[in-house]
Each structure stands twice: as structure tokens, then as C-alpha cells.
Amino acid sequence: MPGHFEPLPGGGAAVALDDVEISIIRSLAVQLLELIGPGPAEDAPDDPLAELFAQGPSEPPADPVLRRLFPDAYTDPEATLGPREAEEQRAHSSEFRRYTENDLRAGKRENALAVVRSLDELAAGSEGGAVLELSPGASRQWLSALNDLRLAIGSRLDIADEDDTELLYRLPDDDARKPMVMAYLWLGGLQETLVSTLMP
């Protein structure tokens, strides 16, 4: 898929998307929203202050994709630690997660919602595709959402480093992972060109 972002005069970015591309990005963003889940206030709608004072979880998520999106803050998988240091590291990560994960989830949720809303507006006024124009603020939301989508897909594909990405190019066409790989690589191209539009 050849679409790439280009800078707009005065800031922001634009990209031409066809109907299939719009549908793919929107579907992935909706899946990301479902994965992230509702905010704390949605679990307690009668209390408007619930989200403000709600503490987040203290343990890492069980789902590997969510662990990639919300990693432990103080864990270094390459560090060699003794039992005491490892326990201290887990305690620090747990405390940090308790007070930050809800805000991180809310931010990721808002970015994914911004993608869905902008694509819905675009699709409503187009047939066969259209040019999506984003303000500088919306561009940053898209950039964050594209990053989250790539992290999620990369986690499902077991991509841990650049060498894994190189292997994806050599997958045979009949490999069941091929559609997911194509989406991962395409989103990477979009992300890269969007980054370049935001650089001064």
C-alpha cells in the first residue's frame, strides 16, 4: 500500500487513503480499543470522581500484547540481579504501575479514538478514498496510535528486535502470518513518514 504522509503548510500532515486502507486502519484501531478496555470511570458511572482517584493494577497484564503496551517501568530483562534486588525492582514497578497505568491507558484510548473518529469523518464524505488532513495535535495522536498498533501486531508476531523484522520479508506467501506482516510493515511506513512531517 503506497500511501505516505506529507507535511501540510503551517504544520500537520496529510495522507491519501483508499477505502480498503481506511477500513484496515479503522478495524485495527477498534481492536486496540477493545484490547485496552474501558476506563475506570466507565466501571463506576455514578461517581464522577472515580477515575480521578482510582488506582490502577499493581501486576503486569497477563496478555503479552498488553504487557508490551504497558511494560514494567523498572524491569531490565538483561540485568542479572540477586533475589533481593529483583524483589525490590518488582516492588518499584508495582508501585509505579499502580499510579500510572490508568493514565497511560486513557491516553492510548484517546489516541485510538482520535484515529477512528478522523477516519469516520473521512469515510463519510468520500467514495473510493480521500485525503486525510491532520492538525499538528492530531498528527501526534496518530503517531502514538500507529506506534501502539505496531507494538500490538509485533507482539503477536513475536518480533523482539530488528533481526526479527528482516525475517518477515522472507515469509512465503502461503504463511498464515503474511496478512498481519503486511499490515505491520505498511503501518511502519506510515509511521516513519508521519515522524518526518513532525520533525522541524
Side-chain angles (χ1 to χ4, degrees), residues 4-112:
H4 61 274
F5 281 95
E6 296 181 355
L8 287 173
V15 62
L17 297 170
D18 63 31
D19 287 342
V20 173
E21 293 167 331
I22 292 169
S23 176
I24 290 171
I25 298 173
R26 188 187 188 285
S27 174
L28 290 171
V30 168
Q31 291 176 54
L32 181 63
L33 284 167
E34 291 170 355
L35 184 66
I36 292 170
E42 294 176 54
D43 296 333
D46 295 334
D47 184 358
L49 298 177
E51 189 167 9
L52 182 62
F53 294 106
Q55 290 186 4
S58 59
E59 296 298 320
D63 187 304
V65 174
L66 288 175
R67 277 200 308 274
R68 191 87 170 264
L69 292 172
F70 305 102
D72 274 338
Y74 295 96
T75 301
D76 181 359
E78 297 181 11
T80 304
L81 302 174
R84 182 173 170 221
E85 290 88 356
E87 183 57 37
E88 286 177 359
Q89 193 176 72
R90 279 192 294 274
H92 291 308
S93 291
S94 175
E95 190 74 4
F96 187 81
R97 181 179 296 280
R98 182 179 294 120
Y99 292 107
T100 60
E101 187 169 312
N102 283 345
D103 288 340
L104 290 173
R105 281 182 184 260
K108 290 180 185 299
R109 191 180 303 110
E110 190 54 43
N111 293 333

Side-chain angles (χ1 to χ4, degrees), residues 90-157:
R90 279 192 294 274
H92 291 308
S93 291
S94 175
E95 190 74 4
F96 187 81
R97 181 179 296 280
R98 182 179 294 120
Y99 292 107
T100 60
E101 187 169 312
N102 283 345
D103 288 340
L104 290 173
R105 281 182 184 260
K108 290 180 185 299
R109 191 180 303 110
E110 190 54 43
N111 293 333
L113 277 171
V115 168
V116 171
R117 289 175 183 141
S118 59
L119 291 175
D120 285 349
E121 290 173 13
L122 187 67
S126 70
E127 239 180 79
V131 175
L132 174 69
E133 295 188 355
L134 301 172
S135 68
S139 295
R140 287 187 291 276
Q141 285 187 297
W142 263 73
L143 184 60
S144 295
L146 288 172
N147 186 62
D148 288 341
L149 289 173
R150 290 193 78 236
L151 284 173
I153 295 172
S155 180
R156 292 289 188 236
L157 291 171

